[in-house]
């Protein structure tokens, strides 16, 4: 089964899109990149998703992320559908164009190569449609994260923003982010980092949670990009509150 695995380089496809012909690597440039696919144009769930991404596009720009959507319909459909997406999700004053292009993958070349096809859902001609896939690539064009949802479940692009924050933090600092982490929350110190190294790397403090096993692998430190403090995750009531 063709597809893209974590660490693989995104192929530099030349694609037809609503912004003209683009090569993916040149389009993403030195930015982070998100390629997200949709089953079909003129479908309800996709219309809500593309509208949500349009509304969040300023947040993605702030994080230096460039967006590109993909669907297996043609450019004419993409242009017509874009007007519906805007009408459903935007006030007239907010703009007349989607703030990102949509790729027309009519021959399903990208969808097949990148493993985006839904093995279950078929269109009226019995052809497979694209699933709801999200690929996040770093400035090095390597795959950092992928999601694959079925056509019946719309994605949360607030969650995609959250994972971008985690990916960008963990690309810079040797930490990991726990469940439900948001910027400013505590981050985890990798379990294989010796204590003296952790103390040197995280001078504000490293706090470990006592556990029945006696092993000290649950170690927290404040978000190293946001030194305001360490908000413990909700399921950890006994974390130290003082960071002095
Ligand atoms: C939708 O986006 O609403 C959708 C797409 C394919 C099948 C069913 C629903």
């Amino acid at each position: 089964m063709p597809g893209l695995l974590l660490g693989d380089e995104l192929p530099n496809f030349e694609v037809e899109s609503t912004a003209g012909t683009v090569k993916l690597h040149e389009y993403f440039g030195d930015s982070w990149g998100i390629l997200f696919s949709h089953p079909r144009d003129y479908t309800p769930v996709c219309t809500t998703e593309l509208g949500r991404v349009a509304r969040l596009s300023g947040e993605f720009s702030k994080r230096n992320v460039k967006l590109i959507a993909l669907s297996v319909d043609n450019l004419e459909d993409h242009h017509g559908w874009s007007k519906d997406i805007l009408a459903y999700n935007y006030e007239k004053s907010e703009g007349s164009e989607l703030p990102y292009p949509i790729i027309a993958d009519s021959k399903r070349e990208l969808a097949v190569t990148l493993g985006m096809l839904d093995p279950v859902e078929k269109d009226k001609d019995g052809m497979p449609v694209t699933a709801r896939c999200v690929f996040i690539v770093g400035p090095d064009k390597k795959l950092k994260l992928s999601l694959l949802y079925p056509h019946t479940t719309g994605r949360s692009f607030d969650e995609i923003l959250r994972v971008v924050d985690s990916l960008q933090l963990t690309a810079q600092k040797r930490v990991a982010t726990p469940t439900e982490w948001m910027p400013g929350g505590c981050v985890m110190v990798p379990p294989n980092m010796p204590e003296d190294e952790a103390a040197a790397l995280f001078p504000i403090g490293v706090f470990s949670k006592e556990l029945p096993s006696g092993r000290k692998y649950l170690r927290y430190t404040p978000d190293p990009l946001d030194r305001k403090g360490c908000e413990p995750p909700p399921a950890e009531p006994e974390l130290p509150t003082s960071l002095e």
Side-chain angles (χ1 to χ4, degrees):
M1 174 90 174
L4 209 56
L5 299 175
L6 294 184
D8 286 353
E9 186 174 285
L10 177 74
N12 194 12
F13 275 103
E14 183 169 281
V15 295
E16 298 306 316
S17 82
T18 48
T21 304
V22 293
K23 288 192 87 178
L24 290 177
H25 286 198
E26 284 70 32
Y27 174 72
F28 289 139
D30 294 330
S31 303
W32 288 68
I34 296 187
L35 167 63
F36 57 112
S37 66
H38 297 272
R40 291 307 308 222
D41 293 7
Y42 297 110
T43 51
V45 178
C46 299
T47 303
T48 62
E49 288 188 315
L50 274 95
R52 183 69 187 140
V53 177
R55 287 208 157 273
L56 290 175
S57 64
E59 290 298 320
F60 285 108
S61 302
K62 270 191 224 161
R63 291 159 174 81
N64 190 28
V65 177
K66 287 195 84 176
L67 301 158
I68 194 160
L70 175 150
S71 169
V72 294
D73 291 299
N74 60 35
L75 282 180
E76 193 186 341
D77 282 342
H78 286 359
H79 284 296
W81 182 40
S82 297
K83 295 197 178 80
D84 289 359
I85 296 166
L86 290 166
Y88 181 69
N89 296 281
Y90 265 38
E91 297 299 327
K92 275 211 172 65
S93 57
E94 287 179 284
S96 56
E97 280 198 43
L98 284 175
Y100 52 82
I102 310 177
I103 297 169
D105 190 29
S106 316
K107 295 192 186 133
R108 294 168 165 75
E109 279 167 358
L110 255 80
V112 170
T113 307
L114 301 180
M116 289 173 150
L117 288 181
D118 188 322
V120 180
E121 176 70 4
K122 305 277 190 295
D123 67 12
K124 61 179 174 11
D125 305 315
M127 294 290 285
V129 297
T130 25
R132 299 184 194 285
C133 186
V134 179
F135 288 136
I136 304 183
V137 294
D140 59 359
K141 313 293 174 300
K142 302 237 170 93
L143 185 69
K144 308 298 179 195
L145 181 137
S146 70
L147 289 179
L148 191 60
Y149 280 33
H151 69 282
T152 39
T153 303
R155 291 154 287 189
S156 163
F157 285 89
D158 295 279
E159 167 63 3
I160 305 297
L161 271 181
R162 194 189 74 82
V163 298
V164 166
D165 286 330
S166 170
L167 292 171
Q168 293 185 340
L169 168 64
T170 57
Q172 285 182 63
K173 304 283 179 187
R174 285 176 58 200
V175 296
T177 61
T179 181
E180 315 300 345
W181 175 85
M182 295 293 282
C186 291
V187 298
M188 317 299 297
V189 176
N192 59 358
M193 186 183 287
E195 267 181 41
D196 52 348
E197 192 182 349
L201 268 183
F202 307 112
I204 293 184
V206 174
F207 310 100
S208 64
K209 168 95 179 149
E210 293 300 322
L211 295 167
S213 66
R215 298 178 186 217
K216 291 197 179 301
Y217 60 93
L218 254 167
R219 295 182 297 171
Y220 293 94
T221 193
D223 179 340
L225 298 185
D226 177 343
R227 303 192 153 233
K228 278 188 270 181
C230 185
E231 287 292 323
E236 293 293 342
E238 288 171 32
L239 271 177
T241 49
S242 163
L243 300 175
E244 275 128 42

